[in-house]
């Protein structure tokens, strides 16, 4: 367990069951509290119900139904200061095209290592709230 991550809650939004569970297991081992959502609609419901407890969202961009960009917009309406780490197999320029200009989030491209994920989450969670822009 990492002292820098103990107590932080991360919502993992990923439509691939195996990847969602693997991320959950890894983040749990690093000391994060983990919430799960299989799609954008579930993510919005979780943020609506537990938003005050969520410190960060690991958000897949490409999902059936409500995609990551649409879920991001809805979650930020509920919790405007929500920190988001968007993930996708697309490069960052392609991912940015899905979001309105000025959207505040960080980006990590799939595939990523567990250590890279942990490092990026640590940076996002410990940075000033206004500086987390892509």
């Amino acid at each position: 367990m990492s002292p820098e991550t103990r107590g932080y809650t991360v919502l993992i939004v990923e439509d691939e069951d195996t990847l969602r569970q693997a991320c959950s297991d890894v983040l749990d081992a690093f000391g994060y509290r983990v919430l799960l959502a299989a799609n954008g609609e579930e993510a919005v419901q979780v943020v609506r119900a537990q938003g005050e407890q969520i410190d960060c969202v690991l958000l897949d961009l490409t999902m059936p139904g409500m995609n990551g960009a649409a879920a991001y917009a809805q979650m930020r309406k509920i919790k405007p200061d929500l920190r988001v780490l968007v993930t996708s197999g697309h490069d960052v320029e392609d991912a940015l095209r899905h979001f309105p200009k000025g959207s505040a989030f960080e980006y990590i491209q799939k595939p990523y290592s567990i250590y890279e994920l942990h490092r990026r989450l640590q940076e996002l969670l410990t940075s000033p709230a206004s500086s987390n822009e892509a």
Side-chain angles (χ1 to χ4, degrees):
M1 187 177 309
S2 173
E4 307 86 26
T5 58
R6 194 175 301 126
Y8 284 116
T9 299
V10 177
L11 170 60
I12 300 171
V13 186
E14 171 62 57
D15 63 312
E16 295 179 36
D17 294 340
T18 305
L19 184 53
R20 186 175 60 251
Q21 191 56 55
C23 283
S24 176
D25 293 345
V26 165
L27 294 184
D28 183 62
F30 277 119
Y32 296 96
R33 179 173 172 256
V34 178
L35 301 173
L36 301 173
N39 56 53
E41 291 89 350
E42 279 185 31
V44 171
Q45 291 172 0
V46 172
V47 171
R48 190 172 285 123
Q50 300 182 57
E52 289 306 311
Q53 295 140 17
I54 298 170
D55 297 298
C56 182
V57 177
L58 177 62
L59 178 63
D60 186 21
L61 179 59
T62 309
M63 297 179 287
M66 183 185 289
N67 68 21
Y72 169 88
Q74 293 298 313
M75 290 186 293
R76 290 295 295 255
K77 284 181 184 174
I78 298 165
K79 186 174 182 178
D81 62 343
L82 187 63
R83 296 170 191 247
V84 179
L85 180 60
V86 173
T87 182
S88 173
H90 300 279
D91 65 28
V92 68
E93 290 80 19
D94 186 47
L96 285 172
R97 289 197 317 247
H98 297 272
F99 293 87
K101 187 168 178 61
S103 296
F105 63 89
E106 292 291 331
Y107 183 78
I108 186 170
Q109 188 169 348
K110 292 178 184 178
Y112 47 79
S113 74
I114 59 173
Y115 301 105
E116 176 69 5
L117 175 61
H118 178 53
R119 184 182 68 78
R120 295 296 301 278
L121 285 172
Q122 280 183 306
E123 288 173 358
L124 182 61
L125 289 164
T126 59
S127 69
S130 62
S131 69
N132 62 330
E133 294 186 15

